[in-house]
Amino acid sequence: PKDPPGSPSAASIKITKEVANAFVKRQKRSTLYFEYYKSPMEQMHERCENYPPCDYLSDQIGFSMAYNRFFG
């Protein structure tokens, strides 16, 4: 199919990289990585907090000793 007279063809339409980037915003991988990643220490704290005896004991003797007593 031919283009109507006076219309630009696809080959003649070009834009610069900067202009294209203004339209398309890519999400950075680093921000996505940190949204879903929890450190091992944070995972341990959550595990202890979700188990009432460990949570109570961590207030008495400290997190690391309470965690090791129940999960270590």
Side-chain angles (χ1 to χ4, degrees):
K2 292 190 172 190
D3 293 330
S7 68
S9 67
S12 68
I13 299 175
K14 294 184 181 182
I15 57 175
T16 63
K17 184 178 179 181
E18 291 78 21
V19 173
N21 285 338
F23 291 105
V24 180
K25 295 288 184 191
R26 291 178 54 193
Q27 187 174 17
K28 296 185 180 187
R29 290 182 184 154
S30 61
T31 58
L32 183 63
Y33 174 75
F34 287 116
E35 286 179 19
Y36 296 109
Y37 177 76
K38 292 182 181 177
S39 70
M41 184 60 78
E42 187 176 357
Q43 292 173 356
M44 290 168 59
H45 272 279
E46 287 182 357
R47 186 175 183 194
C48 188
E49 287 173 355
N50 290 333
Y51 186 60
C54 183
D55 190 33
Y56 176 77
L57 191 60
S58 69
D59 291 336
Q60 308 301 316
I61 63 173
F63 165 74
S64 60
M65 291 176 69
Y67 186 87
N68 285 335
R69 178 166 182 173
F70 290 102
F71 304 108

